[in-house]
Amino acid sequence: MIEVRKLVKNYGDVKAVRDISFKVQNGEILGFLGPNGAGKTTTLKVITGYLSPTSGNVFVDDMNVIEDSMEIRKMIGYLPEMNPLYHDMEVYDFLEFVAHAREIDKSRFKSRLGEVIELCGLKGVVHKNINELSKGYCQRVGLAQAIIHDPKILILDEPTSGLDPNQIVEIRGLIKNLGKAKTVIISSHILQEIQATADRMIIINRGEIAANGTIDELMSDFKGKTRLKLELKNADTESLKKVQSFNDGVLLSEYSEKDGVMTAVLEYPNSLDPRQDIFTHAVKNKWVILEMSRHKTSLEDIFRNLTIEGETTNAK
Amino acid sequence: MRNNFKILYRKEVQSFFNSPVAYITLVVFLLINAWFFTSTFFLTNESDLRTLFTVAPIVFIFFIPAITMGLIAKEKNTGTLEFITTLPFSDGEIVIAKFLAALTLVATALLFTTVHFFTLLIVGNNIDMGALISGYLGLLLVGAAYTAIGTFASSVTDNQITAFIISFSIIFVLFILDKILVFVPGFLSSFLQYLSIDYHLSNISRGVIDSRNLVYLGSIILFFLLMSIRILEMRKWR
Ligand SMILES: Nc1ncnc2c1ncn2[C@@H]1O[C@H](COP(=O)(O)OP(=O)(O)OP(=O)(O)O)[C@@H](O)[C@H]1O
Ligand SMILES: [Mg+2]
């Protein structure tokens, strides 16, 4: 089991990860989802021992990364972001080096190499130089080095980035296959990727966990919720909150005001329908309703909602 | 037990010989030495390797930064540092294996210069074996000190050219120190002399190997290797 406990990581003044905690059970595939700059890579770098936590710790079984980094590294297969490889090496020499580093002896290397070539589809490129390989093949080599020692834990940082759609489907299949027997953490900023591979997902945004659960759990947490967009003239939020149904569980999730027009988004369970209340209230207060539109949430919206602030801060 | 040093060392040596930089610098090193050797040998008909022992340390000032500049800087630049440091190797093992691999290249270069020695044998002049051995020992030790400095320079940056300039500068200063002694007051001069690499090298080459010389070179090697390891570890706390 992997447990990240109260992890904080700063780069100088940049707070990349702010106090996150979560657990990954043995045999589980965890999807680590978040927009660019959310802190996914940073978290993974701490788990794999490349960086030390600013505070907090990561536990693997009864060991932790501060004291037992070496032992933990032995249990992990890691595909870093950008997939750094020694481009002046032959695929064979590279995998042999990793195998030695992973305590695989000569006799076992031969059979293990065969298995990995089969699994990752490396047939025909074994004796090529890595710098001659296409991006997709490089990614396969990266995956091959991560699994060559059949690690208990597999950590993959954006394993399909830069691949074409066919390769993506293939690599996802491979990951799902590998995940049957391993604990896997796979990071991505693409929801579909996580949906296609993971048992459970953690959505991380600006260094904090925004949601944690199985895809079904997240859906039902948010399902049954409706978003209602309003554009009102002459209205103010204080008065809006006096609408009767606000007592029953309608939430004002966003609002802004411009040129005397208030834009507000309400969120409420599907069982409610505050539209009539709003209308009567508007009439009573002499508001003008410019727009009132309703829409149900999908997982896509959940992700967008949870991470929207991250997107805007990164865009500037 | 698996031998981490051996695994890393093999990879480093392999990567040297996979890149043209090693061959080019090796050839240039040998050409320069051969040129100096032959031009003085036929002129003065001297029967020792004195020119080699004076020219080689100067050529080292360029040669060793060139072969060490990529050791760590290149791995930082391409991102492979993250790959190798998350394998179950300690930072110390990584640094020392790199140092030893570069030193192997230096030793190889020195080995090639023994053709001059065989030339002398064939010509048949009497050769001072003691001076020859201590001369080579001195070159190897100084080469090791420069290599440690080069390893350090390569650890502080991800740019190979910057690494070259840093190690070249450190080595150049250490080399030049005993040549500027006349410009400094007396109390400083013996101190600066002790810090000068060339001073210790000339002692060793003359065949008088004093523990002071060995301690000096050993400390340089140790200091710069420890610094390299520290700097590599510092990435974790950035
Ligand atoms: N070496 C570094 N020095 C300074 N700041 C950094 C460094 N690496 C990352 N950061 C910052 O830390 C934050 C988190 O970055 P991180 O790489 O962990 O995000 P991520 O979720 O992996 O994003 P992406 O989807 O783009 O890979 C970002 O604001 C980033 O700018
Ligand atoms: Mg990332």
Side-chain angles (χ1 to χ4, degrees):
Chain A
M1 190 181 75
I2 305 171
E3 183 185 356
V4 173
R5 199 183 291 167
K6 290 186 172 299
L7 179 67
V8 176
K9 181 67 192 177
N10 301 336
Y11 299 103
D13 293 336
V14 180
K15 295 180 164 57
V17 172
R18 315 163 186 234
D19 194 5
I20 68 173
S21 302
F22 64 87
K23 288 180 186 173
V24 194
Q25 302 301 333
N26 288 343
E28 189 176 39
I29 304 184
L30 175 77
F32 211 46
L33 187 63
N36 294 126
K40 304 181 293 292
T41 299
T42 305
T43 308
L44 301 185
K45 281 180 175 174
V46 173
I47 300 175
T48 54
Y50 182 68
L51 299 175
S52 292
T54 302
S55 72
N57 207 340
V58 177
F59 297 83
V60 175
D61 297 339
D62 50 356
M63 298 177 288
N64 70 77
V65 290
I66 295 176
E67 284 153 18
D68 319 299
S69 165
M70 188 69 83
E71 288 311 307
I72 292 177
R73 274 184 268 159
K74 286 182 185 171
M75 299 167 62
I76 293 180
Y78 179 34
L79 175 62
E81 193 174 33
M82 316 299 290
N83 185 23
L85 297 172
Y86 292 107
H87 286 273
D88 52 6
M89 275 177 132
E90 245 185 37
V91 174
Y92 181 92
D93 293 334
F94 176 67
L95 291 177
E96 189 183 36
F97 164 67
V98 181
H100 287 160
R102 294 302 195 173
E103 304 188 52
I104 296 172
D105 56 32
K106 280 205 171 58
S107 54
R108 201 153 68 85
F109 172 63
K110 284 271 180 289
S111 64
R112 188 58 194 152
L113 183 68
E115 287 165 32
V116 165
I117 288 173
E118 188 65 45
L119 265 173
C120 301
L122 285 171
K123 218 171 239 152
V125 302
V126 180
H127 290 288
K128 280 196 174 165
N129 259 354
I130 294 178
N131 61 10
E132 297 167 29
L133 300 183
S134 68
K135 178 131 184 143
Y137 273 99
C138 281
Q139 209 70 17
R140 291 166 192 226
V141 173
L143 214 51
Q145 66 73 23
I147 62 172
I148 195 154
H149 56 305
D150 198 12
K152 266 179 75 179
I153 299 170
L154 198 54
I155 294 184
L156 309 170
D157 198 350
E158 308 216 15
T160 61
S161 78
L163 300 185
D164 71 38
N166 290 331
Q167 294 168 329
I168 289 179
V169 172
E170 245 178 86
I171 298 276
R172 280 181 189 164
L174 178 54
I175 292 166
K176 216 169 157 78
N177 218 357
L178 288 168
K180 283 178 192 152
K182 297 184 194 311
T183 309
V184 183
I185 303 182
I186 170 175
S187 97
S188 177
H189 55 268
I190 307 164
L191 178 70
Q192 287 82 354
E193 175 130 317
I194 300 299
Q195 265 181 301
T197 48
D199 304 322
R200 188 161 63 88
M201 64 174 147
I202 285 179
I203 301 181
I204 175 171
N205 185 33
R206 304 174 75 195
E208 283 167 347
I209 291 180
N212 178 355
T214 62
I215 289 157
D216 287 342
E217 277 166 12
L218 290 190
M219 285 292 272
S220 70
D221 266 7
F222 285 81
K223 197 171 55 185
K225 271 202 183 142
T226 309
R227 285 162 66 82
L228 185 71
K229 188 178 170 206
L230 291 172
E231 265 186 40
L232 304 168
K233 223 167 164 172
N234 306 332
D236 63 283
T237 47
E238 278 319 300
S239 170
L240 178 62
K241 280 183 188 161
K242 292 206 182 82
V243 172
Q244 175 54 39
S245 29
F246 270 76
N247 300 330
D248 308 331
V250 173
L251 288 172
L252 180 60
S253 79
E254 290 163 36
Y255 70 88
S256 61
E257 199 162 341
K258 203 179 154 209
D259 303 331
V261 175
M262 185 175 84
T263 308
V265 176
L266 309 185
E267 264 183 17
Y268 50 85
N270 275 354
S271 51
L272 295 180
D273 190 353
R275 286 176 298 171
Q276 197 170 344
D277 281 352
I278 290 168
F279 182 79
T280 4
H281 198 74
V283 171
K284 205 162 67 195
N285 291 282
K286 298 204 165 57
W287 296 348
V288 181
I289 299 180
L290 298 176
E291 183 184 338
M292 175 144 73
S293 59
R294 194 167 60 144
H295 108 125
K296 305 222 152 120
T297 20
S298 66
L299 201 53
E300 204 82 41
D301 298 315
I302 299 171
F303 178 52
R304 201 173 318 117
N305 258 330
L306 288 170
T307 58
I308 203 117
E309 282 171 87
E311 301 272 6
T312 47
T313 27
N314 277 298
K316 68 174 181 213
Chain B
M1 202 196 84
R2 104 211 136 108
N3 190 335
N4 288 353
F5 280 118
K6 207 173 110 193
I7 297 163
L8 285 165
Y9 174 81
R10 234 189 88 181
K11 174 220 150 220
E12 293 300 330
V13 171
Q14 203 174 18
S15 92
F16 265 129
F17 290 103
N18 275 340
S19 93
V21 182
Y23 296 105
I24 293 168
T25 43
L26 207 58
V27 168
V28 171
F29 175 79
L30 295 174
L31 284 179
I32 293 173
N33 278 305
W35 186 74
F36 274 101
F37 178 77
T38 47
S39 60
T40 55
F41 175 66
F42 293 115
L43 268 179
T44 62
N45 208 14
E46 269 193 295
S47 68
D48 58 25
L49 288 169
R50 199 171 302 155
T51 40
L52 173 68
F53 295 141
T54 39
V55 171
I58 297 170
V59 183
F60 271 178
I61 301 179
F62 301 92
F63 173 68
I64 292 181
I67 64 172
T68 54
M69 64 186 184
L71 282 180
I72 298 170
K74 192 175 163 205
E75 298 229 23
K76 283 191 177 185
N77 188 262
T78 60
T80 50
L81 189 70
E82 178 173 356
F83 165 72
I84 193 153
T85 52
T86 49
L87 287 174
F89 295 121
S90 73
D91 293 350
E93 287 168 342
I94 293 171
V95 166
I96 290 167
K98 283 177 181 293
F99 164 77
L100 290 177
L103 188 58
T104 305
L105 201 60
V106 174
T108 309
L110 284 177
L111 200 66
F112 279 120
T113 65
T114 55
V115 293
H116 306 321
F117 160 71
F118 290 115
T119 317
L120 289 176
L121 267 187
I122 291 162
V123 176
N125 294 334
N126 56 334
I127 290 164
D128 181 349
M129 279 306 237
L132 190 82
I133 290 169
S134 58
Y136 269 109
L137 179 69
L139 281 185
L140 192 61
L141 279 172
V142 166
Y146 289 4
T147 306
I149 294 170
T151 309
F152 163 77
S154 187
S155 74
V156 298
T157 171
D158 63 1
N159 182 314
Q160 300 195 44
I161 305 299
T162 311
F164 179 92
I165 293 169
I166 294 172
S167 52
F168 174 81
S169 311
I170 299 175
I171 295 170
F172 185 74
V173 167
L174 288 178
F175 187 82
I176 206 81
L177 270 181
D178 72 339
K179 292 164 191 66
I180 55 160
L181 292 180
V182 284
F183 303 112
V184 298
F187 68 93
L188 257 181
S189 87
S190 64
F191 174 65
L192 288 185
Q193 187 179 49
Y194 186 77
L195 280 185
S196 150
I197 285 198
D198 213 27
Y199 163 71
H200 297 277
L201 176 63
S202 57
N203 277 350
I204 297 174
S205 306
R206 271 189 284 115
V208 279
I209 304 177
D210 187 344
S211 61
R212 270 160 50 97
N213 308 135
L214 297 181
V215 166
Y216 168 82
L217 289 169
S219 317
I220 294 256
I221 295 168
L222 211 62
F223 174 76
F224 282 102
L225 286 184
L226 286 176
M227 288 285 285
S228 316
I229 297 170
R230 272 268 154 273
I231 286 172
L232 202 57
E233 284 169 352
M234 264 166 56
R235 69 162 195 280
K236 295 187 180 180
W237 307 104
R238 238 183 350 188

